[in-house]
Amino acid sequence: MLEKVEGFVNEPLPRKFLFFDEMITPSLVQAAYWLGLVCVIWIGLEKLFHGGFFGIFEAVIFVLFSSIALRVIAEMVMLFFKMNATMEVVAKNTTPAPVSAAPTPKPVRKTRKKVSKKVTKKTGGE
C-alpha cells in the first residue's frame, strides 16, 4: 500500500500539486477573468434590453468600466505571481554572504563629571 502512495507522489503532476512545486493560481486567475468577462457582458446585455432608453448608455458604460476593472484586478494578481517567480530566480542566483564573527563592540567607558575644585563660599545673611 505504501509503495502505491510513493509511486503516486513521485509522479510529476501529483508532486507539483501536492508539494507546491508549481503554482496553479495563475491558471485559475485567467479562467476567473474569462468567466468574469462573460458575466459582465451578460449583465450588460440584460441592462441593454431591460433598462429602457437609458439602459443603452448604462449598458455601454457598465461593460466598458467593468471589463477594464476586471482586467486590472487580474493583472495585479498575476503581477504578484510574476514577482514571486522573479524573486525565486534572484534567490537561486545569489550566493549567500559568508558568515563571519560579529565584531565585538568596544567597551563603553563611563565618564564622571568633573567637579570643580573651587569651593564657593556662602555669604551669610546681612
Side-chain angles (χ1 to χ4, degrees):
M1 179 71 173
L2 188 60
E3 294 87 21
K4 289 182 181 180
V5 172
E6 288 177 358
F8 179 76
V9 170
N10 289 332
E11 291 180 15
L13 181 63
R15 178 153 184 83
K16 288 179 184 178
F17 182 73
L18 294 175
F19 292 101
F20 297 96
D21 290 341
E22 185 175 317
M23 297 283 192
I24 62 169
T25 309
S27 302
L28 295 176
V29 169
Q30 289 176 350
Y33 168 73
W34 286 106
L35 182 64
L37 197 59
V38 168
C39 290
V40 164
I41 292 172
W42 183 272
I43 293 170
L45 288 174
E46 183 179 317
K47 288 181 183 288
L48 179 70
F49 292 119
H50 296 291
F53 179 71
F54 290 107
I56 297 170
F57 300 113
E58 184 181 2
V60 170
I61 290 173
F62 175 78
V63 169
L64 182 68
F65 287 122
S66 296
S67 60
I68 290 172
L70 188 63
R71 177 66 185 223
V72 168
I73 291 169
E75 285 181 3
M76 287 178 65
V77 172
M78 295 295 289
L79 178 67
F80 288 126
F81 285 100
K82 287 187 181 186
M83 286 173 26
N84 181 33
T86 304
M87 292 305 293
E88 287 177 358
V89 170
V90 169
K92 286 180 183 177
N93 293 334
T94 304
T95 57
V99 178
S100 62
T104 56
K106 293 181 180 179
V108 178
R109 184 182 261 181
K110 293 184 178 179
T111 58
R112 294 185 181 180
K113 285 186 175 180
K114 292 186 178 182
V115 180
S116 174
K117 292 186 179 184
K118 294 181 182 178
V119 180
T120 56
K121 293 183 181 180
K122 288 187 177 180
T123 56
E126 291 179 18

